[in-house]
Amino acid sequence: KDIKIVRLFNRSFIDREMYLEETLQFGRRVFQNALSIQYDGASWTILYRSNHFDMDCCPTCDFVEPELEQFTLDEGKLAPVPPQSTPENIHQIQDLMMSASFTMREDGTSGEIKIIFFKDSVPFPVQFNPSIIIGMNASRRWVADCGGFRGDGLSPFFIADVVGLYIETPDPIQDVFTTPLYHSCIRKAIKKLNWDLDLTYEWFELDDVMAAIDQVFNQQEPEEFLEDFWRLVIVE
């Protein structure tokens, strides 16, 4: 059974859907979120990177590396809520403990890790327990559906922007978001992205940004580049 658990859960995931936000309220903001699950037969270790930064020029010029954080939960044992999860926690409940429970389909195709809270060794009631559900999407890609980590009144647990659907990545989390997407300024690619999709579009996926970088810097014919260049100058 342990082998099935390891095969299902021991993966790294990255949020590819919510990368670049452009709104009137927050301006231009870049989100970098990734997590990794490691099970060794006796304990669960969750490693994650999660930050966002405001963008004045582009994701490369304004890059901020997110710190690598982690917490470990031993099976059948209580552990303190990690300190990094409490600064923006509206509950600020003292001596709050937690443990991990998990369920898995018999065929090993999906499973869920859920964090349960305790106060004085008694289950502490919350409206929504943080959880990570592992499964495969319609495109046959492994995904992690994360919820309950926002500290927004439904749960006393907070890990910045860890929420939503994450896609498996072959890269170890130690290497994810440690360097900018490109080795030089990608402002032209961001402008092209806005032009091609929608000038009022709010969210851009990481894959959209990477495709724009590839088109502007790696694949474009000279005539196409000059046409786009003068068009961006006019926009400026």
Side-chain angles (χ1 to χ4, degrees):
K1 183 178 180 179
D2 284 349
I3 295 177
K4 275 190 176 182
I5 297 173
V6 169
R7 287 177 177 173
L8 174 63
F9 286 100
N10 285 27
R11 304 174 187 274
S12 295
F13 302 88
I14 188 171
D15 185 353
R16 308 189 75 89
E17 295 183 349
M18 300 173 63
Y19 177 73
L20 175 61
E21 178 186 35
E22 299 207 20
T23 63
L24 293 176
Q25 181 179 4
F26 298 109
R28 310 165 76 201
R29 183 169 288 181
V30 175
F31 291 79
Q32 301 177 127
N33 298 302
L35 65 89
S36 175
I37 303 170
Q38 297 178 5
Y39 178 72
D40 62 7
S43 62
W44 296 90
T45 298
I46 309 296
L47 301 95
Y48 61 93
R49 294 185 185 274
S50 181
N51 79 342
H52 62 258
F53 59 86
D54 294 327
M55 186 178 72
D56 294 323
C57 179
C58 75
T60 294
C61 294
D62 302 308
F63 175 75
V64 178
E65 179 182 350
E67 293 186 13
L68 180 62
E69 306 277 8
Q70 74 173 65
F71 61 91
T72 298
L73 295 172
D74 295 327
E75 283 190 356
K77 297 182 180 179
L78 298 180
V81 174
Q84 67 265 27
S85 73
T86 58
E88 298 184 45
N89 175 7
I90 64 173
H91 293 272
Q92 293 296 314
I93 302 168
Q94 293 185 352
D95 302 322
L96 189 65
M97 307 291 284
M98 63 182 186
S99 68
S101 68
F102 79 94
T103 57
M104 182 181 66
R105 285 176 57 102
E106 188 64 31
D107 58 6
T109 57
S110 65
E112 178 182 15
I113 303 171
K114 183 175 290 186
I115 294 177
I116 310 297
F117 299 101
F118 292 83
K119 175 76 171 175
D120 299 326
S121 301
V122 177
F124 184 83
V126 295
Q127 296 183 44
F128 190 56
N129 288 95
S131 66
I132 303 173
I133 301 174
I134 307 297
M136 192 170 285
N137 64 10
S139 302
R140 306 297 295 172
R141 300 183 69 179
W142 288 103
V143 297
D145 191 358
C146 305
F149 293 99
R150 296 300 295 271
D152 55 5
L154 298 179
S155 167
F157 202 77
F158 179 87
I159 302 182
D161 301 301
V162 175
V163 65
L165 196 65
Y166 287 44
I167 305 295
E168 185 183 20
T169 175
D171 301 319
I173 194 169
Q174 289 81 359
D175 299 336
V176 173
F177 293 131
T178 57
T179 58
L181 298 180
Y182 199 64
H183 56 75
S184 61
C185 178
I186 59 171
R187 189 176 182 184
K188 294 177 184 177
I190 299 302
K191 287 181 175 291
K192 176 177 175 54
L193 193 63
N194 277 283
W195 185 279
D196 287 349
L197 295 181
D198 186 344
L199 290 174
T200 62
Y201 200 79
E202 291 189 354
W203 281 104
F204 296 106
E205 298 182 9
L206 178 59
D207 292 342
D208 293 332
V209 176
M210 296 300 295
I213 293 173
D214 195 46
Q215 292 171 15
V216 170
F217 297 105
N218 299 328
Q219 294 183 347
Q220 221 170 17
E221 296 296 328
E223 294 81 7
E224 294 175 346
F225 178 83
L226 288 175
E227 180 182 351
D228 278 352
F229 173 78
W230 290 114
R231 185 169 65 180
L232 295 175
V233 169
I234 295 173
V235 172
E236 284 282 311

Coordinates of all heavy atoms in Angstrom, one line a residue, residues 91-165:
H91 N -7.6 34.3 12.7 CA -8.0 33.6 13.9 C -7.0 33.8 15.0 O -7.4 34.1 16.2 CB -8.2 32.2 13.6 CG -9.4 31.9 12.7 ND1 -10.7 31.7 13.1 CD2 -9.4 31.8 11.3 CE1 -11.5 31.5 12.1 NE2 -10.7 31.5 11.0
Q92 N -5.7 33.6 14.7 CA -4.7 33.7 15.7 C -5.0 32.9 17.0 O -5.0 33.4 18.1 CB -4.5 35.2 16.1 CG -3.9 36.1 15.0 CD -2.5 35.6 14.6 OE1 -1.6 35.4 15.4 NE2 -2.2 35.5 13.3
I93 N -5.4 31.7 16.8 CA -5.7 30.8 17.9 C -4.5 30.2 18.5 O -3.6 29.6 17.8 CB -6.6 29.6 17.3 CG1 -7.9 30.2 16.7 CG2 -7.0 28.7 18.5 CD1 -8.7 29.2 15.9
Q94 N -4.3 30.4 19.7 CA -3.1 29.9 20.4 C -3.1 28.4 20.6 O -4.2 27.8 20.8 CB -2.9 30.6 21.8 CG -2.7 32.1 21.7 CD -2.4 32.7 23.0 OE1 -2.6 32.1 24.0 NE2 -2.0 34.0 23.0
D95 N -2.0 27.8 20.5 CA -1.8 26.4 20.8 C -2.6 25.5 19.9 O -3.1 24.4 20.2 CB -2.1 26.0 22.3 CG -1.3 26.8 23.2 OD1 -0.1 27.0 22.9 OD2 -1.8 27.2 24.3
L96 N -2.9 26.0 18.7 CA -3.6 25.2 17.7 C -2.7 24.1 17.1 O -1.6 24.4 16.6 CB -4.2 26.1 16.6 CG -5.2 25.4 15.6 CD1 -6.4 25.0 16.4 CD2 -5.5 26.4 14.5
M97 N -3.1 22.9 17.1 CA -2.4 21.8 16.5 C -3.0 21.2 15.3 O -4.2 21.6 15.0 CB -2.2 20.7 17.5 CG -1.7 21.1 18.9 SD 0.1 21.6 18.8 CE 0.9 20.0 18.8
M98 N -2.3 20.4 14.5 CA -2.9 19.8 13.3 C -2.3 18.5 13.0 O -1.3 18.1 13.5 CB -2.7 20.7 12.1 CG -1.2 20.9 11.7 SD -1.1 22.1 10.3 CE 0.7 22.0 10.0
S99 N -3.1 17.7 12.2 CA -2.6 16.4 11.8 C -3.1 16.2 10.4 O -3.9 16.9 9.9 CB -3.1 15.3 12.7 OG -4.5 15.1 12.5
A100 N -2.5 15.2 9.7 CA -2.9 14.9 8.3 C -3.6 13.6 8.2 O -3.3 12.6 8.9 CB -1.6 14.8 7.5
S101 N -4.7 13.6 7.4 CA -5.4 12.3 7.1 C -5.4 12.2 5.6 O -5.3 13.2 4.9 CB -6.8 12.3 7.7 OG -7.6 13.3 7.0
F102 N -5.5 11.0 5.1 CA -5.5 10.8 3.6 C -6.4 9.7 3.3 O -6.7 8.7 4.0 CB -4.1 10.6 3.1 CG -3.6 9.2 3.2 CD1 -3.8 8.3 2.2 CD2 -3.0 8.8 4.4 CE1 -3.3 7.0 2.4 CE2 -2.5 7.5 4.5 CZ -2.7 6.6 3.5
T103 N -7.0 9.8 2.1 CA -7.8 8.8 1.5 C -7.3 8.6 0.1 O -6.7 9.5 -0.5 CB -9.3 9.1 1.5 OG1 -9.5 10.4 0.8 CG2 -9.8 9.3 2.9
M104 N -7.5 7.3 -0.4 CA -7.0 7.0 -1.8 C -7.9 6.0 -2.4 O -8.4 5.0 -1.7 CB -5.6 6.5 -1.7 CG -5.0 6.2 -3.1 SD -3.2 5.6 -2.9 CE -3.5 4.0 -2.0
R105 N -8.2 6.1 -3.7 CA -8.9 5.1 -4.4 C -8.1 3.8 -4.4 O -6.9 3.8 -4.4 CB -9.3 5.5 -5.8 CG -10.4 6.6 -5.9 CD -10.5 7.0 -7.4 NE -10.8 5.9 -8.3 CZ -12.0 5.5 -8.7 NH1 -13.0 6.3 -8.4 NH2 -12.1 4.5 -9.5
E106 N -8.8 2.7 -4.4 CA -8.2 1.4 -4.4 C -7.2 1.2 -5.6 O -6.2 0.6 -5.4 CB -9.2 0.3 -4.3 CG -8.7 -1.1 -4.1 CD -8.0 -1.3 -2.8 OE1 -8.4 -0.6 -1.8 OE2 -7.0 -2.0 -2.7
D107 N -7.6 1.8 -6.7 CA -6.8 1.6 -7.9 C -5.6 2.6 -8.0 O -4.8 2.6 -8.9 CB -7.6 1.7 -9.2 CG -8.3 3.0 -9.3 OD1 -8.1 3.9 -8.5 OD2 -9.2 3.2 -10.3
G108 N -5.5 3.5 -7.0 CA -4.4 4.4 -6.9 C -4.5 5.5 -7.9 O -3.4 6.2 -8.2
T109 N -5.7 5.9 -8.5 CA -5.8 6.9 -9.5 C -6.1 8.3 -8.9 O -6.0 9.3 -9.6 CB -6.8 6.5 -10.5 OG1 -8.1 6.3 -9.9 CG2 -6.4 5.3 -11.3
S110 N -6.5 8.4 -7.7 CA -6.8 9.7 -7.1 C -6.7 9.5 -5.5 O -6.9 8.4 -5.0 CB -8.1 10.2 -7.5 OG -9.2 9.4 -7.0
G111 N -6.5 10.6 -4.9 CA -6.5 10.6 -3.4 C -6.5 12.0 -2.9 O -6.4 13.0 -3.6
E112 N -6.7 12.1 -1.6 CA -6.8 13.4 -0.9 C -6.0 13.4 0.4 O -6.1 12.5 1.2 CB -8.3 13.8 -0.7 CG -8.5 15.1 0.1 CD -9.9 15.4 0.3 OE1 -10.8 14.4 0.2 OE2 -10.3 16.5 0.7
I113 N -5.3 14.5 0.6 CA -4.7 14.8 1.9 C -5.5 15.9 2.5 O -5.7 17.0 1.9 CB -3.2 15.3 1.7 CG1 -2.4 14.2 1.0 CG2 -2.6 15.6 3.1 CD1 -1.0 14.8 0.6
K114 N -5.9 15.7 3.8 CA -6.7 16.7 4.5 C -6.0 17.0 5.8 O -5.5 16.2 6.5 CB -8.1 16.2 4.7 CG -9.0 17.2 5.4 CD -10.4 16.7 5.5 CE -11.1 16.7 4.1 NZ -12.5 16.3 4.2
I115 N -6.0 18.3 6.1 CA -5.4 18.8 7.4 C -6.5 19.0 8.4 O -7.5 19.7 8.1 CB -4.6 20.1 7.2 CG1 -3.4 19.8 6.3 CG2 -4.2 20.7 8.5 CD1 -2.6 21.0 6.0
I116 N -6.4 18.3 9.5 CA -7.4 18.4 10.6 C -6.8 19.1 11.8 O -5.6 18.9 12.1 CB -7.8 17.0 11.1 CG1 -8.2 16.1 9.8 CG2 -9.0 17.1 12.0 CD1 -9.4 16.6 9.1
F117 N -7.6 20.1 12.3 CA -7.1 20.9 13.4 C -7.6 20.4 14.8 O -8.6 19.8 14.9 CB -7.5 22.3 13.2 CG -7.0 22.9 12.0 CD1 -7.8 23.1 10.9 CD2 -5.7 23.4 11.9 CE1 -7.3 23.6 9.7 CE2 -5.2 23.9 10.7 CZ -6.0 24.0 9.6
F118 N -6.7 20.6 15.8 CA -7.0 20.2 17.2 C -6.7 21.3 18.2 O -5.7 22.1 18.0 CB -6.2 18.9 17.5 CG -6.6 17.7 16.8 CD1 -6.1 17.5 15.5 CD2 -7.5 16.8 17.3 CE1 -6.5 16.3 14.8 CE2 -7.8 15.6 16.6 CZ -7.3 15.4 15.4
K119 N -7.5 21.4 19.2 CA -7.3 22.3 20.3 C -7.4 21.5 21.6 O -8.5 20.9 21.8 CB -8.3 23.4 20.3 CG -8.2 24.4 21.4 CD -7.0 25.3 21.3 CE -7.1 26.4 22.4 NZ -6.0 27.3 22.4
D120 N -6.4 21.5 22.4 CA -6.4 20.6 23.6 C -6.7 19.2 23.3 O -7.5 18.5 24.0 CB -7.4 21.2 24.6 CG -7.0 22.6 25.1 OD1 -5.8 23.0 25.1 OD2 -8.0 23.4 25.3
S121 N -6.1 18.7 22.2 CA -6.2 17.3 21.8 C -7.7 16.9 21.3 O -8.0 15.7 21.2 CB -5.8 16.3 22.9 OG -4.5 16.6 23.3
V122 N -8.5 17.9 21.2 CA -9.9 17.7 20.7 C -10.0 18.3 19.3 O -9.5 19.4 19.1 CB -10.9 18.3 21.7 CG1 -12.3 18.1 21.2 CG2 -10.8 17.7 23.1
P123 N -10.7 17.6 18.4 CA -10.9 18.2 17.1 C -11.5 19.6 17.1 O -12.4 19.8 17.8 CB -11.8 17.2 16.4 CG -11.5 15.9 17.0 CD -11.2 16.2 18.5
F124 N -10.8 20.5 16.4 CA -11.3 21.9 16.4 C -12.1 22.2 15.2 O -11.7 22.0 14.1 CB -10.1 22.8 16.4 CG -10.4 24.3 16.5 CD1 -10.6 24.9 17.8 CD2 -10.5 25.1 15.4 CE1 -11.0 26.2 17.9 CE2 -10.8 26.4 15.5 CZ -11.0 27.0 16.7
P125 N -13.4 22.6 15.4 CA -14.3 22.7 14.2 C -13.9 23.9 13.4 O -13.8 25.0 13.9 CB -15.7 22.9 14.9 CG -15.4 23.5 16.2 CD -14.0 22.9 16.6
V126 N -13.8 23.7 12.1 CA -13.7 24.8 11.1 C -14.7 24.5 10.0 O -15.1 23.4 9.8 CB -12.2 24.9 10.5 CG1 -11.3 25.3 11.6 CG2 -11.8 23.6 9.9
Q127 N -15.0 25.6 9.2 CA -15.9 25.4 8.1 C -15.3 24.7 6.9 O -16.0 24.0 6.2 CB -16.4 26.8 7.7 CG -17.2 27.6 8.7 CD -17.7 28.9 8.2 OE1 -18.2 28.9 7.1 NE2 -17.6 29.9 9.0
F128 N -14.0 24.8 6.8 CA -13.3 24.2 5.6 C -11.9 23.8 6.0 O -11.1 24.6 6.3 CB -13.3 25.3 4.5 CG -12.9 24.7 3.2 CD1 -13.6 23.6 2.6 CD2 -11.8 25.2 2.5 CE1 -13.2 23.1 1.4 CE2 -11.4 24.7 1.2 CZ -12.1 23.6 0.7
N129 N -11.7 22.5 6.0 CA -10.3 22.0 6.2 C -9.5 22.1 5.0 O -9.9 21.7 3.9 CB -10.4 20.5 6.7 CG -11.0 20.4 8.1 OD1 -12.1 20.1 8.2 ND2 -10.1 20.5 9.1
P130 N -8.2 22.6 5.1 CA -7.3 22.6 4.0 C -7.1 21.2 3.4 O -7.0 20.2 4.1 CB -6.0 23.2 4.5 CG -6.4 23.9 5.8 CD -7.6 23.2 6.3
S131 N -7.1 21.1 2.1 CA -6.9 19.8 1.5 C -6.2 19.9 0.1 O -6.2 21.0 -0.5 CB -8.3 19.1 1.2 OG -9.0 19.8 0.3
I132 N -5.6 18.8 -0.3 CA -4.9 18.7 -1.6 C -5.5 17.4 -2.2 O -5.2 16.3 -1.7 CB -3.4 18.7 -1.5 CG1 -2.9 19.9 -0.8 CG2 -2.8 18.6 -2.9 CD1 -1.4 19.8 -0.5
I133 N -6.2 17.5 -3.3 CA -6.7 16.4 -4.0 C -5.9 16.1 -5.3 O -5.7 17.0 -6.1 CB -8.2 16.6 -4.4 CG1 -9.0 16.9 -3.1 CG2 -8.8 15.4 -5.2 CD1 -10.5 17.3 -3.5
I134 N -5.4 14.9 -5.4 CA -4.5 14.5 -6.5 C -5.3 13.6 -7.4 O -6.0 12.7 -7.0 CB -3.3 13.7 -6.0 CG1 -2.5 14.5 -4.9 CG2 -2.4 13.4 -7.2 CD1 -2.0 15.8 -5.4
G135 N -5.3 13.9 -8.7 CA -6.0 13.1 -9.7 C -5.5 13.4 -11.1 O -4.5 14.2 -11.3
M136 N -6.1 12.9 -12.1 CA -5.7 13.1 -13.5 C -6.9 13.9 -14.2 O -8.1 13.5 -14.0 CB -5.5 11.8 -14.2 CG -4.8 11.9 -15.5 SD -4.2 10.2 -16.1 CE -2.8 10.0 -15.1
N137 N -6.5 14.9 -15.0 CA -7.5 15.6 -15.7 C -7.9 15.0 -17.0 O -7.4 13.9 -17.4 CB -7.1 17.1 -15.9 CG -5.9 17.3 -16.7 OD1 -5.4 16.3 -17.4 ND2 -5.3 18.4 -16.8
A138 N -8.7 15.7 -17.8 CA -9.2 15.1 -19.1 C -8.0 15.0 -20.1 O -8.1 14.2 -21.0 CB -10.3 16.0 -19.7
S139 N -7.0 15.8 -19.9 CA -5.8 15.7 -20.8 C -4.8 14.7 -20.3 O -3.7 14.6 -20.9 CB -5.2 17.1 -20.9 OG -6.1 18.0 -21.4
R140 N -5.2 13.8 -19.4 CA -4.3 12.8 -18.8 C -3.1 13.4 -18.2 O -2.0 12.8 -18.2 CB -3.9 11.8 -19.9 CG -5.1 11.2 -20.7 CD -6.0 10.4 -19.8 NE -5.3 9.2 -19.2 CZ -5.8 8.4 -18.3 NH1 -7.0 8.7 -17.8 NH2 -5.1 7.4 -17.8
R141 N -3.2 14.5 -17.5 CA -2.1 15.1 -16.8 C -2.5 15.1 -15.3 O -3.6 15.3 -14.9 CB -1.9 16.6 -17.2 CG -1.5 16.7 -18.7 CD -1.2 18.2 -19.1 NE 0.0 18.6 -18.5 CZ 0.5 19.9 -18.6 NH1 -0.2 20.7 -19.4 NH2 1.6 20.2 -18.1
W142 N -1.5 14.8 -14.5 CA -1.7 14.8 -13.0 C -1.9 16.3 -12.5 O -1.1 17.2 -12.9 CB -0.5 14.2 -12.3 CG -0.5 12.7 -12.5 CD1 0.3 12.0 -13.4 CD2 -1.3 11.7 -11.9 NE1 0.1 10.6 -13.3 CE2 -0.9 10.4 -12.4 CE3 -2.4 11.8 -11.0 CZ2 -1.5 9.3 -12.0 CZ3 -3.0 10.6 -10.6 CH2 -2.6 9.4 -11.1
V143 N -2.9 16.4 -11.7 CA -3.2 17.8 -11.2 C -3.4 17.7 -9.7 O -3.7 16.6 -9.1 CB -4.4 18.4 -11.8 CG1 -4.2 18.6 -13.3 CG2 -5.7 17.5 -11.6
A144 N -3.2 18.8 -9.0 CA -3.4 18.9 -7.5 C -4.4 20.1 -7.3 O -4.1 21.2 -7.7 CB -2.1 19.2 -6.8
D145 N -5.6 19.8 -6.8 CA -6.6 20.8 -6.5 C -6.4 21.2 -5.0 O -6.7 20.4 -4.1 CB -8.0 20.2 -6.8 CG -9.0 21.3 -6.7 OD1 -8.7 22.4 -6.5 OD2 -10.2 20.9 -6.9
C146 N -6.0 22.4 -4.8 CA -5.7 22.9 -3.4 C -6.7 23.9 -3.0 O -7.1 24.8 -3.7 CB -4.3 23.6 -3.4 SG -3.0 22.6 -4.1
G147 N -7.2 23.7 -1.7 CA -8.2 24.6 -1.2 C -8.0 24.7 0.3 O -7.4 23.8 1.0
G148 N -8.5 25.8 0.9 CA -8.5 26.0 2.3 C -7.2 26.6 2.9 O -7.0 26.5 4.1
F149 N -6.4 27.1 2.0 CA -5.1 27.7 2.5 C -5.0 29.2 2.6 O -4.0 29.8 2.6 CB -3.9 27.1 1.7 CG -3.7 25.7 1.8 CD1 -4.2 24.8 0.9 CD2 -3.0 25.1 2.9 CE1 -4.0 23.4 1.0 CE2 -2.8 23.8 3.0 CZ -3.3 22.9 2.0
R150 N -6.2 29.8 2.5 CA -6.2 31.3 2.3 C -6.4 32.0 3.7 O -6.3 33.3 3.7 CB -7.3 31.7 1.4 CG -7.1 31.2 0.0 CD -5.8 31.7 -0.6 NE -5.8 33.1 -0.8 CZ -6.2 33.7 -1.9 NH1 -6.7 33.0 -2.9 NH2 -6.1 35.0 -2.0
G151 N -6.7 31.4 4.7 CA -6.9 32.1 6.0 C -8.0 33.2 5.9 O -7.9 34.3 6.4
D152 N -9.1 32.9 5.1 CA -10.0 33.9 4.8 C -11.3 33.8 5.6 O -12.3 34.4 5.2 CB -10.4 33.8 3.3 CG -10.9 32.4 2.9 OD1 -11.0 31.6 3.9 OD2 -11.2 32.2 1.8
G153 N -11.2 33.2 6.8 CA -12.4 33.1 7.6 C -13.0 31.7 7.6 O -13.7 31.3 8.5
L154 N -12.7 30.9 6.6 CA -13.2 29.6 6.5 C -12.2 28.6 7.1 O -12.6 27.5 7.5 CB -13.5 29.2 5.0 CG -14.5 30.0 4.3 CD1 -14.6 29.6 2.8 CD2 -15.9 30.0 5.0
S155 N -11.0 29.0 7.2 CA -10.0 28.1 7.7 C -8.9 28.9 8.5 O -8.6 30.0 8.0 CB -9.3 27.3 6.6 OG -8.2 26.6 7.0
P156 N -8.4 28.4 9.5 CA -7.3 29.1 10.3 C -5.9 28.8 9.7 O -4.9 29.0 10.4 CB -7.5 28.5 11.7 CG -7.9 27.1 11.5 CD -8.8 27.2 10.3
F157 N -5.8 28.4 8.5 CA -4.5 28.1 7.9 C -4.3 29.0 6.7 O -5.1 29.3 5.9 CB -4.5 26.7 7.4 CG -3.2 26.1 7.3 CD1 -2.5 25.6 8.4 CD2 -2.6 25.9 6.1 CE1 -1.2 25.1 8.3 CE2 -1.3 25.3 6.0 CZ -0.6 24.9 7.1
F158 N -3.0 29.5 6.6 CA -2.7 30.5 5.6 C -1.4 30.2 4.9 O -0.4 30.1 5.6 CB -2.7 31.9 6.2 CG -2.3 33.0 5.2 CD1 -3.3 33.6 4.4 CD2 -1.0 33.4 5.0 CE1 -3.0 34.5 3.5 CE2 -0.7 34.3 4.0 CZ -1.7 34.9 3.3
I159 N -1.4 30.0 3.6 CA -0.2 29.9 2.8 C -0.3 30.8 1.6 O -0.6 30.3 0.5 CB 0.2 28.5 2.4 CG1 0.3 27.5 3.6 CG2 1.5 28.4 1.6 CD1 0.7 26.1 3.3
A160 N -0.2 32.1 1.8 CA -0.2 33.1 0.7 C -1.2 32.7 -0.4 O -2.4 32.7 -0.1 CB 1.2 33.2 0.1
D161 N -0.8 32.4 -1.6 CA -1.7 32.3 -2.7 C -1.9 30.8 -3.1 O -2.2 30.5 -4.3 CB -1.2 33.1 -3.9 CG -1.1 34.6 -3.6 OD1 -2.1 35.1 -3.2 OD2 0.0 35.1 -3.6
V162 N -1.6 29.9 -2.2 CA -1.7 28.5 -2.6 C -3.2 28.1 -2.6 O -3.9 27.9 -1.6 CB -1.0 27.5 -1.6 CG1 -1.3 26.1 -1.9 CG2 0.5 27.8 -1.6
V163 N -3.8 28.1 -3.8 CA -5.2 27.8 -4.0 C -5.4 27.5 -5.5 O -4.7 28.0 -6.3 CB -6.1 29.0 -3.6 CG1 -5.8 30.2 -4.5 CG2 -7.5 28.6 -3.6
G164 N -6.4 26.7 -5.8 CA -6.7 26.4 -7.2 C -6.1 25.1 -7.7 O -5.6 24.3 -7.0
L165 N -6.1 25.0 -9.0 CA -5.6 23.8 -9.7 C -4.2 23.9 -10.2 O -3.9 24.8 -10.9 CB -6.6 23.5 -10.9 CG -6.5 22.1 -11.5 CD1 -7.0 21.1 -10.4 CD2 -7.4 22.0 -12.7

